[in-house]
């Protein structure tokens, strides 16, 4: 006859109110003795709680986020007849009674089956806190104290460490997105995906290794609200951070006189409307940037991961940063060199709508060769955009303002609509002189849009 047994939190040291951070099984799962059921995290350590029984999980009595202590009930497990005959089996009623009868703090049974003398239970050893297991948990890869690792200690549960070991991932290189920067399963999988996309694992940091940011309890100073970041923000944060750390950025500022361009754009508003679209400034910027990219091929390239060559692309796919409620996304307008302004404007409107409706697919965002980030509709005088790797340059656009501009030949100030440009680039690929040649050419094209057809 099968019996239903309750599993309690075993002796976990002097910790009360320990967080359940992972539940590793689900009702219906068959578990083996010693198989981990949940992961707990105290202020100082992370530990997995193993099952004292082989059987089938009937019910889970905790969920992620719950707080437990020694003696708290974790799960109900149905144990097979054979095991029950071995005196491990305790009828459910008795198990429940025993659990009630045993005051939690006094429960000394380490494996914590709910009833029967602990002596007969297959008591798993008290788990060593993960933090103490240190280097042994890291398995292959550079060891603690290795000059390759610096002093950074990865914060991850044992099951995530196991996954990392299986995949050969050095956790000290993975950025954790969980609470207190804990590394989650998703982070390890994302790290592997990124490494595969790049064609191999990242080079270990050669110089400065940053220690993880300390956890700060902001509630000490006032009321706070914790808002979880959605997936788009988590992914873009990871990509932006990697680009910021790995690319030596320089930003070249300049201004383009778009007085005539703007007059032309407004004069064509009705015509554009009759084509069912709005001829936006951004459409001109995409077209102008493409014309200039054709003249400066390295700006339309990517640096090989070994840093020994650049891949110059003969196609011109423009990424456009679009601000959505969900976060920043960068859909791509393909072959801008072969499209007219009205086509680009229509495609731009369709893509930004799709972005705001959260309907962009991976294909809509893949293959960009150069990005434009336009904040001009909102304001600002200049900013330093982050290169959208593996591209090597990005154009930031701020708000155009009517300003007095000195015309030496006429010896007077004239009112001109000036558009601020901020070109950020990867200095490993692009020299400062070429960057200013690029923006100077861009100014010329935007200042006289007849250059678009040259
Ligand atoms: N200077 C002054 N006015 C500008 C301008 C600029 N550089 N760019 C746009 N405008 C004005 C337009 O003229 C338009 O006014 P109008 O209706 O009178 O013609 C208005 O702002 C809206 O412009 P529109 O062309 O419709 O949109 P947009 O080009 O400003 O923006 C997106 C389109 C998709 C780029 C924009 O919505 C967006 O998401 N921008 C944010 C990108 C971002 O977050 N980047 C940060 C990355 S770090």
């Amino acid at each position: 006859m099968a019996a239903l047994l309750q599993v309690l939190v075993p002796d976990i040291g002097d910790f009360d109110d320990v967080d359940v951070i992972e539940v590793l099984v689900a009702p219906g799962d068959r578990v083996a003795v010693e198989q981990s059921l949940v992961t707990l995290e105290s202020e100082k350590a992370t530990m997995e709680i193993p099952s004292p029984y082989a059987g089938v999980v009937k019910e889970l009595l905790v969920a992620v986020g719950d707080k437990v202590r020694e003696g708290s009930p974790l799960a109900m497990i149905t144990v097979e007849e054979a095991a029950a005959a071995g005196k491990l089996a305790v009828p459910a009623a008795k198990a429940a009674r025993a659990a009630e009868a045993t005051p939690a703090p006094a429960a000394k049974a380490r494996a914590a089956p709910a009833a029967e003398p602990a002596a007969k239970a297959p008591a798993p050893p008290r788990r060593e806190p993960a933090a103490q297991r240190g280097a042994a948990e890291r398995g292959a890869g550079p060891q603690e104290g290795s000059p390759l690792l610096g002093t950074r200690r990865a914060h991850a549960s044992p099951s995530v460490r196991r996954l990392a070991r299986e995949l050969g991932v050095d956790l000290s290189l993975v950025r954790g997105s969980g609470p207190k920067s804990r590394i989650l399963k998703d982070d390890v999988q994302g790290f592997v995906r990124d490494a595969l996309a790049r064609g191999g694992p990242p080079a270990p940091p050669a110089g400065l290794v940053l220690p993880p940011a300390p956890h700060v309890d902001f509630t000490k100073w006032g009321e706070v609200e914790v808002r979880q970041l959605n997936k788009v923000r988590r992914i873009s944060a990871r990509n932006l951070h990697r680009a910021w750390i790995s690319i030596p950025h320089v930003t070249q500022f300049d201004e383009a006189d778009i007085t005539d361009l703007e007059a032309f754009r407004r004069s064509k508003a009705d015509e554009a409307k009759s084509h069912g679209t709005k001829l936006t400034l951004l459409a001109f910027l995409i077209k102008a940037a493409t014309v200039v990219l054709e003249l400066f091929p390295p700006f339309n390239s990517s640096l090989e991961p070994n840093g020994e060559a650049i891949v110059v692309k003969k196609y011109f796919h423009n990424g456009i940063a679009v601000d959505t409620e969900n976060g920043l996304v960068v859909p791509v307008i393909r072959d801008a060199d072969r499209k007219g302004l009205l086509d680009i404007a229509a495609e731009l409107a369709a893509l930004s709508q799709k972005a705001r409706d959260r309907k962009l697919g991976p294909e809509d965002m893949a293959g960009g060769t150069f990005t434009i980030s336009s904040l001009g509709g909102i304001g600002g005088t200049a900013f330093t955009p982050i290169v959208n790797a593996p591209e090597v340059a990005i154009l930031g656009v701020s708000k155009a303002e009517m300003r007095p501009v000195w015309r030496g030949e006429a010896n007077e100030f004239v009112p001109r609509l000036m558009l601020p440009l901020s070109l950020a680039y990867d200095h490993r690929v692009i020299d400062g002189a070429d960057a200013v040649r690029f923006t100077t050419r861009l100014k010329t094209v935007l200042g006289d849009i007849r250059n678009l057809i040259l």
Side-chain angles (χ1 to χ4, degrees), residues 384-430:
T384 54
I386 298 178
V387 171
N388 188 15
E391 298 163 23
V392 296
I394 179 169
L395 180 68
V397 182
S398 298
K399 187 174 174 56
E401 298 275 12
M402 193 61 88
R403 288 204 283 100
V405 172
W406 181 248
R407 280 279 161 85
E409 69 278 12
N411 207 27
E412 61 179 5
F413 282 102
V414 289
R416 307 296 292 177
L417 187 61
M418 303 304 290
L419 179 72
L421 305 172
S422 310
L423 177 79
Y425 58 91
D426 184 337
H427 206 355
R428 294 172 300 179
V429 176
I430 294 163

Side-chain angles (χ1 to χ4, degrees), residues 82-399:
K87 288 215 174 189
L88 284 176
V90 181
K94 191 175 170 192
R97 260 198 319 276
E100 278 164 24
T102 314
K108 287 285 181 241
R110 291 197 165 157
E116 286 299 86
K120 289 282 179 193
R126 176 167 153 181
R127 292 271 136 161
E128 217 178 295
Q132 288 166 21
R133 289 201 293 275
E137 283 283 5
R138 289 181 201 280
Q143 293 297 305
E144 196 80 34
S146 148
L148 293 182
L149 275 187
T151 54
R152 195 181 153 204
R153 193 182 270 282
H155 178 24
S157 71
S159 60
V160 170
R161 287 176 185 282
R162 196 176 314 120
L163 176 70
R165 232 177 6 248
E166 282 163 14
L167 297 174
V169 170
D170 177 355
L171 280 179
S172 70
L173 299 176
V174 181
R175 186 138 292 271
S177 65
K180 302 179 202 167
S181 303
R182 189 171 59 241
I183 299 169
L184 308 178
K185 201 170 146 200
D186 271 359
D187 299 324
V188 175
Q189 288 166 337
F191 181 87
V192 172
R193 262 197 307 276
D194 289 349
L196 288 175
R198 273 196 309 273
L208 176 71
V209 177
L210 297 176
H215 175 69
V216 180
D217 178 10
F218 297 101
T219 59
K220 283 195 291 193
W221 300 291
E223 192 185 346
V224 300
E225 178 194 344
V226 176
R227 295 184 182 178
Q228 294 302 324
L229 296 181
N230 64 36
K231 201 168 168 197
V232 171
R233 285 184 201 277
R234 289 205 311 267
I235 291 173
S236 64
R238 207 159 50 208
N239 293 340
L240 289 166
H241 186 238
R242 188 180 50 217
W244 181 250
I245 292 285
S246 61
I247 297 176
H249 281 75
V250 179
T251 307
Q252 175 63 54
F253 301 105
D254 214 329
E255 284 182 325
D257 181 339
I258 58 163
T259 318
D260 297 340
L261 184 160
E262 189 59 9
F264 175 76
R265 187 178 80 85
R266 291 202 179 273
S267 74
K268 292 289 171 191
D270 288 343
E271 196 176 323
K273 210 168 174 183
S274 69
H275 281 82
T277 189
K278 180 181 168 194
L279 190 53
T280 62
L281 175 59
L282 196 49
F284 285 87
L285 288 167
I286 293 170
K287 196 69 193 164
T290 304
V291 165
V292 182
L293 285 169
E294 287 179 293
L295 298 174
F296 295 87
F299 286 76
N300 203 50
S301 76
S302 287
L303 184 63
E304 289 266 52
N306 64 10
E308 293 188 357
I310 57 171
V311 180
V312 176
K313 292 147 215 172
K314 303 290 172 76
Y315 49 85
F316 298 89
H317 297 343
N318 253 282
I320 302 300
V322 178
D323 170 45
T324 74
E325 273 185 5
N326 214 22
L328 183 69
V329 289
V330 186
V332 172
I333 296 202
R334 289 177 201 287
D335 300 313
D337 55 320
R338 292 194 234 149
K339 289 177 179 159
L341 283 165
L342 287 174
D343 291 335
I344 292 175
E347 207 175 313
L348 193 55
L351 275 177
S352 36
Q353 192 53 48
K354 210 169 163 187
R356 294 193 167 111
D357 294 343
R358 301 187 189 187
K359 291 198 175 133
L360 288 177
E363 258 317 291
D364 292 320
M365 295 182 276
T369 59
F370 180 83
T371 294
I372 299 181
S373 175
S374 173
L375 293 173
I378 307 168
T381 54
F383 65 108
T384 54
I386 298 178
V387 171
N388 188 15
E391 298 163 23
V392 296
I394 179 169
L395 180 68
V397 182
S398 298
K399 187 174 174 56

